[in-house]
Amino acid sequence: MTSISELGRRENYVGEKFLIENYKDIQKNILKTSNVLKNYGVSTSLKDVVVKNYFDTDDLYFRKLGINISVNIYKGRPYADLVVRYDSEQERIQFISDIPDTYIKKIGKKDAISKHFEYIATAIGELMPSGIGVEPIEVVKLLKLKLSIKKKRERYRVIHSNGLKVILSFEQSVYANAKRNKVKLNILELRLDSPHETAPLFEKFLQELRLAEVRMIKTKHSDLFIGQDYLDI
C-alpha cells in the first residue's frame, strides 16, 4: 500500500467560479476598464490547454461521499496530475477541518487509472480518517471515466501589497460525458494563491470584483458539479 510519505503535494483549495457569457468583454473590463485591479500587480498572461478527466463508479459512489478523483493532462507537458480531493458541498466536521483537502501526484500522462488504484485508496483514507464503511481499494477498483473537460485557459496572477495573491483563469471549456454529449461554457475561476490566512482578503476581493463586473454568474466551485448540472454522468 502507498505510504503517507508518498502521497505527494497536499493543499487546501479556496476559490470560486463564475459563468461569463460575454467572455472577451468581461475579460477586458476586469483587466483594463474597471479599477478593481488598480492596486494590484498583474502578471503577463499564461495560455495553456488542459484536459481534466473525472473518474467515479457507475453509481457515483465517491461523488456522494464528497470525493473527486481526476487526472489533469496538460498540453506540452510530459506528465499529468492525479488529484484526489475532498470537495463535498457539506462543511467538514470540526476535528478534521484542518486536514488538507487535496492530494496531488505527478504521473505519466498516458498512465491507465488502474496503475494508481493503491495511491487513490490511501489518499481517500487520509481525507476521510473516519472511514467510508468499506475498504477503499475495493470500490476504487470500480472507477470509470465519467466526465471530461477540455479547457483553453488564459491565466493571470494578481498580487497586492497586503499579501493577497490570486489566480484569475479565463476558461473556454467543453464538458463531455461518457456518452460524448457535450456542452460549451465560458468560466472565470478565481483561486487563492497566498497562504490560507489571507482568505478574508480574498473574500473582500471577490466582493469588489462582483461590484465591478455584475454580469458574472456564480456557479458551482467544482467542474464535476458543473458537469453534473448540465450533463447526465
Side-chain angles (χ1 to χ4, degrees):
M1 199 72 166
T2 303
S3 68
I4 294 175
S5 63
E6 296 174 311
L7 278 175
R9 190 163 84 251
R10 302 179 298 171
E11 61 181 36
N12 289 90
Y13 173 86
V14 177
E16 295 283 359
K17 292 180 187 286
F18 298 89
L19 297 175
I20 48 173
E21 185 174 344
N22 301 307
Y23 180 91
K24 290 296 182 182
D25 191 38
I26 290 176
Q27 182 185 45
K28 180 180 178 182
N29 183 44
I30 291 172
L31 294 174
K32 296 180 180 180
T33 307
S34 74
N35 291 321
V36 70
L37 297 179
K38 67 178 181 179
N39 295 319
Y40 288 80
V42 182
S43 72
T44 56
S45 66
L46 174 63
K47 297 181 180 180
D48 69 352
V49 177
V50 59
V51 175
K52 299 179 70 175
N53 292 321
Y54 282 92
F55 296 84
D56 210 325
T57 64
D58 283 334
D59 61 354
L60 301 181
Y61 181 86
F62 290 110
R63 167 68 179 88
K64 294 169 185 174
L65 287 176
I67 296 290
N68 293 354
I69 301 162
S70 68
V71 174
N72 302 338
I73 303 169
Y74 308 93
K75 183 177 180 180
R77 299 186 193 177
Y79 63 87
D81 283 333
L82 172 57
V83 181
V84 185
R85 172 173 289 159
Y86 181 86
D87 201 9
S88 174
E89 294 172 309
Q90 302 289 329
E91 290 289 333
R92 297 182 101 180
I93 57 178
Q94 185 61 39
F95 82 91
I96 63 170
S97 61
D98 293 330
I99 295 175
D101 60 25
T102 306
Y103 288 97
I104 304 175
K105 179 184 180 183
K106 289 193 184 331
I107 64 172
K109 64 190 305 179
K110 295 184 179 180
D111 283 2
I113 191 72
S114 57
K115 185 176 179 179
H116 303 284
F117 280 167
E118 286 194 359
Y119 170 87
I120 295 168
T122 303
I124 291 169
E126 291 297 308
L127 294 172
M128 303 192 74
S130 59
I132 63 173
V134 297
E135 284 296 324
I137 190 65
E138 297 305 316
V139 191
V140 166
K141 290 177 181 179
L142 302 176
L143 289 176
K144 296 180 180 179
L145 179 64
K146 303 300 290 183
L147 181 71
S148 181
I149 308 113
K150 183 176 181 179
K151 296 171 172 282
K152 294 182 179 179
R153 305 187 299 187
E154 187 170 347
R155 291 180 293 160
Y156 298 83
R157 193 169 189 247
V158 301
I159 304 173
H160 196 279
S161 58
N162 62 12
L164 178 65
K165 300 176 184 178
V166 181
I167 302 295
L168 278 65
S169 184
F170 296 89
E171 303 173 349
Q172 295 173 294
S173 304
V174 179
Y175 291 72
N177 62 13
K179 299 177 182 178
R180 298 188 179 180
N181 298 320
K182 297 180 180 180
V183 62
K184 296 180 180 180
L185 299 171
N186 295 327
I187 290 175
L188 169 61
E189 179 183 21
L190 297 110
R191 178 172 60 83
L192 181 66
D193 196 43
S194 47
H196 196 268
E197 292 73 21
T198 59
L201 297 174
F202 178 72
E203 291 299 324
K204 183 179 178 181
F205 173 74
L206 283 179
Q207 293 174 7
E208 294 172 351
L209 182 63
R210 297 190 73 177
L211 288 173
E213 180 46 79
V214 298
R215 293 170 292 178
M216 301 189 313
I217 301 172
K218 187 174 179 180
T219 187
K220 302 287 180 64
H221 68 279
S222 163
D223 282 314
L224 180 60
F225 299 167
I226 295 171
Q228 194 171 22
D229 282 347
Y230 285 88
L231 297 168
D232 176 19
I233 63 170

